[in-house]
Amino acid sequence: MDMTDSNILSIAASVIGGSGLMYLGVKGALGVIIHGFDPHSMRMKVGAGANKKASEYTLYHEIGHVLLNAAFKNIDSAVMVCAFGKQDRNGNLGYAIMQDTEDMLHTKGLCQWEMLACLSGYMSERFFFGQETMGSGEDREDWMKSAKLYLENGFCDGVYYNKPSNDFEFKNNDAHIKALMVSQEELLGRFFAMNTDVVKDAVSKLAEEGVLSRSMLEEFFERVQFPDDFPIPVIEMMAQTKEVEKAA
C-alpha cells in the first residue's frame, strides 16, 4: 500500500533530521536511498530572484534522479520526489527517495545503474539548461566510490590498478575514471533526449504539487524510455534467477 504524501514527508524529515542532507548511497531509517540537492555548496544568496532560479534547477535536478527508478519492474512504495523552490528550515531545496537496492544482487548492471543515478541530477540540469549548478558535489563523490569499485572488479577495457604505486599507474587509473564518466554522461544525454517531454511534464507536476509520491509518479515511469545499452538491473536479476532454476 502506498504511503500518503504527509507520511512520506514525515519519514523523509525524520531521516534527514537536523543533520542536513543525506545523499545517494547513504541509507536512511527505512533502508531506502535518499538523494538531495544542497544549496549551500552553490553559495546561494537568499532572495526572490535566486530562489526562483534555484527552484527551476532543483525541479529538473530531482526529476532527473527519480525517473531512473523506471528501470525497475517493481518500484518501492517509498520512492518519491520533493522540491521546495526555496530553502526549508534545514537548508534543503529538494530531495528524492530512490529505489532500495540493498537486498539486490550487486551485478555489473546494478552498479552501472547506481553510478548513472549519481550523475543524472546534474546531467538533467546540463541537458535542459546547458550548464549545471555547483550543488552536485556529493553526487560526484558517491559516483567516484562506485566507479572505483566497478573498475577494481575488472569492468574496464584494459588494466585498472587496485593499488597504484607509481605515476604511470595513477595516470592509467585516472584515464579509466575519466573514460567511464564520459561514457555515462553520454548515455544520460541520450536518455534525456529520448525523454524530454516526460521530464518536462514531470517537472510541471512537481512544480504544481511540491511533492510527488510513488503513485503520482507512476504515469511518468510508464512513459520513460531507455536507450538499448542502458543497464536494466531487474532484467539481469531475472535472467540469473532463471539460470539457477534450470540448474536446480
Side-chain angles (χ1 to χ4, degrees):
M1 181 174 64
D2 286 349
M3 294 181 291
T4 63
D5 293 349
S6 59
N7 286 338
I8 291 172
L9 288 172
S10 296
I11 291 169
S14 67
V15 171
I16 293 173
S19 60
L21 221 47
M22 298 176 68
Y23 290 85
L24 190 66
V26 180
K27 298 294 180 178
L30 298 178
V32 297
I33 300 172
I34 298 178
H35 169 81
F37 187 86
D38 184 0
H40 297 302
S41 58
M42 298 168 57
R43 297 181 182 178
M44 252 185 88
K45 294 181 179 180
V46 177
N51 280 336
K52 183 177 180 181
K53 189 169 186 179
S55 176
E56 189 176 7
Y57 274 88
T58 302
L59 290 166
Y60 278 89
H61 183 106
E62 299 303 345
I63 289 297
H65 279 298
V66 81
L67 286 184
L68 260 66
N69 288 302
F72 295 91
K73 182 177 180 180
N74 298 309
I75 303 173
D76 295 338
S77 61
V79 166
M80 57 82 72
V81 65
C82 179
F84 305 118
K86 61 181 180 180
Q87 297 181 36
D88 70 355
R89 60 187 179 83
N90 292 318
N92 305 322
L93 289 171
Y95 50 84
I97 297 181
M98 303 292 283
Q99 181 81 5
D100 181 10
T101 60
E102 188 174 44
D103 295 329
M104 296 183 182
L105 184 63
H106 213 141
T107 62
K108 176 183 177 181
L110 180 57
C111 188
Q112 289 175 330
W113 179 86
E114 289 175 341
M115 288 189 289
L116 290 164
C118 287
L119 304 181
S120 58
Y122 79 75
M123 280 303 298
S124 179
E125 296 179 49
R126 184 185 297 181
F127 182 86
F128 289 99
F129 299 109
Q131 62 181 358
E132 67 261 24
T133 63
M134 295 179 67
S136 301
E138 293 286 344
D139 288 343
R140 293 175 184 273
E141 288 182 15
D142 289 333
W143 181 88
M144 185 65 73
K145 293 174 185 176
S146 294
K148 288 182 177 179
L149 178 63
Y150 180 81
L151 294 171
E152 286 172 357
N153 277 274
F155 297 128
C156 62
D157 184 13
V159 177
Y160 183 86
Y161 297 92
N162 292 9
K163 297 180 179 179
S165 59
N166 55 58
D167 286 345
F168 171 81
E169 293 177 355
F170 278 110
K171 289 180 180 178
N172 174 82
N173 285 6
D174 285 344
H176 280 301
I177 289 288
K178 291 177 182 176
L180 180 59
M181 178 170 281
V182 168
S183 67
Q184 291 205 316
E185 289 181 340
E186 187 274 336
L187 179 56
L188 285 168
R190 287 188 281 124
F191 170 81
F192 287 117
M194 293 178 66
N195 294 283
T196 298
D197 290 341
V198 183
V199 174
K200 289 183 177 180
D201 289 347
V203 163
S204 296
K205 187 70 172 179
L206 181 57
E208 177 184 347
E209 300 290 341
V211 57
L212 300 180
S213 64
R214 164 67 179 82
S215 60
M216 296 170 72
L217 286 164
E218 181 65 31
E219 63 177 291
F220 305 110
F221 288 149
E222 291 179 351
R223 293 169 54 193
V224 170
Q225 301 179 63
F226 291 98
D228 291 338
D229 53 343
F230 202 96
I232 309 295
V234 168
I235 293 178
E236 289 197 16
M237 291 180 67
M238 288 174 62
Q240 291 175 11
T241 301
K242 289 180 180 178
E243 290 299 322
V244 172
E245 291 174 350
K246 288 180 181 179

